[in-house]
Amino acid sequence: MKAEYVNPFLEAVINILGEFGIEGIKRGNIFKKDRFYVSMDITSVIGLIGDIRGNISYSLSQETAKNIVSAMMMGMHIEQMDDMARSAIGELANMITGKAAVLLEKKGVDVDITAPSVIFGKDIYMIISSVEAICVELNTPFGIMEVGIGLEI
Amino acid sequence: MKVLIVDDSPIIHNLLGRVLTANGHQVCGNAKNGKEGVTMFQELSPDLIFMDITMPVMDGLEAAKQIKGIDCHAKIIMFSAMGDEEIAAQAESIGIDVFLKKPFDDYKIISAIAKII
Amino acid sequence: MEVQMARPFINSVKTILQQMTSIDVETEGDFQPENNDIISYGVTSIINFAGKVKGRLLLDMEPDLAVDIAGRLTNEAYSSPKEHMVLAAISEINNIIAGDANTFLNNTYGLGLRLTPPVVFTGNKAIISIPKIPSVSIACRTSSGKLKVNIAFEGGA
């Protein structure tokens, strides 16, 4: 998978988290997997249809999620991942993927994004596309966000 | 007949392969996207190609166009999980003789082969 | 959400599973609004589609059913839903079911729906939520285990 299609998603994460005052995000490990194992508590998945078909997954621990949602809610203390917090995590995935879609559009690639599905659970074995997904670890001040990019291109 | 299967799902390779073998045909190759399909077509010269439409890297319609460009007599049976009028029309517009909508059972596969020979 | 839009999906689930695996799917009751998060039976596959409306098909099933479906499709025996071919089988069957239902909706209502690739996963007591989008579920059973079919639509369906 070409880097030019992967980078918009990583840039979008940095950009959107930046809007909530979360800075200093760094790329960590990158690996390719067709079936990947998720050890984090929460994974949001969004689909893409149009010039590119695919699915993008965003995985975080519950602690990281609570801290990010807190930043999204102007510093409100998040005790647990209730309905509102879950909705916020889904919305975060939506915003990131939407931003990536805008960046792709500037390269002449038009995609439509679908609604997020948010999965809670550990020890998950997941496949998001028929080609190997590129899994990127992003180190945020609140912990790691693993981004799975499964684009059928 | 020597058959090339082009689909991104290993399940389809398995399923279709078993039906073809049971009916006396030989699967000469399994490609997982259209680009591999075109390469394998050139390398293996199959008598018949079963090709999915929706695939990564290069879709079936593009691969079929390229294969027909190499050999206009190439026999291609196209299939898809989607079978609406628009998809069927797209297949027809590039000169595909037979289009099948998944799921296909043994009978549909064998009838399709009979139609195309 | 109009239950009418969901019916083609359960019809496709029954037809496709019967045709491809000879597994009979019996429904228990009718579609009900899904107000809560879905607690997975063990193996879940999600496929999204978009066109004039957007939507999602979620199939959730017990591990034994997933393993049985994969086994019947490939004529092999599998022991765990974590195996790659089991996940691939559920992914492909979801793709064919969603494709079948979307074909019907496209031909009947001209919705121009196209599919994303399927997502498939298996975990330990996974819970799935789709924030803010209304959905309906129908409970089903088969001889190999339980199945839940959940359909969501947005965009005024």
Side-chain angles (χ1 to χ4, degrees), chain B residues 90-111:
Chain B
Q90 281 177 330
E92 212 179 314
S93 73
I94 57 167
I96 295 301
D97 309 283
V98 182
F99 173 76
L100 294 178
K101 182 188 147 303
K102 291 179 187 177
F104 26 67
D105 50 33
D106 295 29
Y107 174 72
K108 268 196 209 168
I109 295 168
I110 302 310
S111 312

Side-chain angles (χ1 to χ4, degrees), chain B residues 54-92:
Chain B
T54 310
M55 290 184 288
V57 184
M58 183 191 290
D59 70 27
L61 294 170
E62 180 56 38
K65 262 191 233 168
Q66 290 196 13
I67 288 173
K68 287 270 188 183
I70 297 167
D71 174 7
C72 62
H73 298 296
K75 295 186 172 48
I76 306 176
I77 293 175
M78 294 220 67
F79 50 83
S80 176
M82 298 288 308
D84 59 58
E85 286 142 10
E86 193 191 318
I87 302 261
Q90 281 177 330
E92 212 179 314

Side-chain angles (χ1 to χ4, degrees), chain A residues 35 45 48-49 53-55 86-87 112-120 122-128 152, chain C residues 37 46 48 50 54 56 82 87 114-124 126-130 132 154:
Chain A
R35 182 192 74 154
V45 185
L48 302 171
I49 299 179
R53 273 175 95 232
N55 290 298
R86 291 169 181 201
S87 192
D112 204 357
I113 74 174
T114 70
S117 294
V118 184
I119 303 153
F120 297 84
K122 287 184 124 155
D123 302 323
I124 288 182
Y125 288 85
M126 181 179 289
I127 297 179
I128 62 173
E152 300 208 340
Chain C
D37 296 335
I46 296 173
N48 285 95
K54 286 188 190 180
R56 177 193 78 165
K82 295 176 187 173
L87 294 176
R114 292 287 170 256
L115 304 167
T116 62
V119 169
V120 62
F121 58 91
T122 180
N124 195 7
I127 297 174
I128 305 112
S129 77
I130 178 163
K132 296 186 205 166
E154 55 174 326

Side-chain angles (χ1 to χ4, degrees), chain C residues 28-69:
Chain C
E28 294 175 343
D30 200 357
F31 281 104
Q32 302 294 330
E34 185 68 69
N35 299 318
N36 302 311
D37 296 335
I38 294 170
I39 300 172
S40 174
Y41 286 136
V43 180
T44 313
S45 182
I46 296 173
I47 192 164
N48 285 95
F49 42 88
K52 292 201 174 133
V53 295
K54 286 188 190 180
R56 177 193 78 165
L57 168 64
L58 183 152
L59 293 183
D60 186 74
M61 65 189 78
E62 292 185 308
D64 282 352
L65 176 53
V67 167
D68 191 30
I69 288 172

Side-chain angles (χ1 to χ4, degrees), chain A residues 6-27:
Chain A
V6 169
N7 286 331
F9 294 94
L10 306 179
E11 282 168 37
V13 172
I14 292 169
N15 188 282
I16 297 296
L17 290 182
E19 281 183 19
F20 298 117
I22 304 172
E23 309 278 351
I25 295 161
K26 298 203 163 47
R27 280 189 208 195

Side-chain angles (χ1 to χ4, degrees), chain C residues 3 7 10 27-32 137-139:
Chain C
V3 170
R7 286 202 196 289
I10 189 62
T27 52
E28 294 175 343
D30 200 357
F31 281 104
Q32 302 294 330
S137 292
I138 189 164

Side-chain angles (χ1 to χ4, degrees), chain B residues 7-12 14-15 18 81-87 90 101-105 108, chain C residues 16 19-20 72-76 85 88-89 92 95-96 99-100 102-103 106-107 113-115:
Chain B
D7 191 308
D8 59 347
S9 169
I11 298 294
I12 296 296
N14 175 296
L15 199 69
R18 284 185 298 114
M82 298 288 308
D84 59 58
E85 286 142 10
E86 193 191 318
I87 302 261
Q90 281 177 330
K101 182 188 147 303
K102 291 179 187 177
F104 26 67
D105 50 33
K108 268 196 209 168
Chain C
I16 303 296
Q19 272 186 37
M20 295 191 77
R72 286 167 187 249
L73 280 177
T74 60
N75 218 32
E76 306 269 352
M85 278 302 259
E92 181 62 22
N95 183 46
I96 295 174
D100 190 62
N102 276 8
T103 296
N106 286 349
N107 288 340
L113 299 171
R114 292 287 170 256
L115 304 167

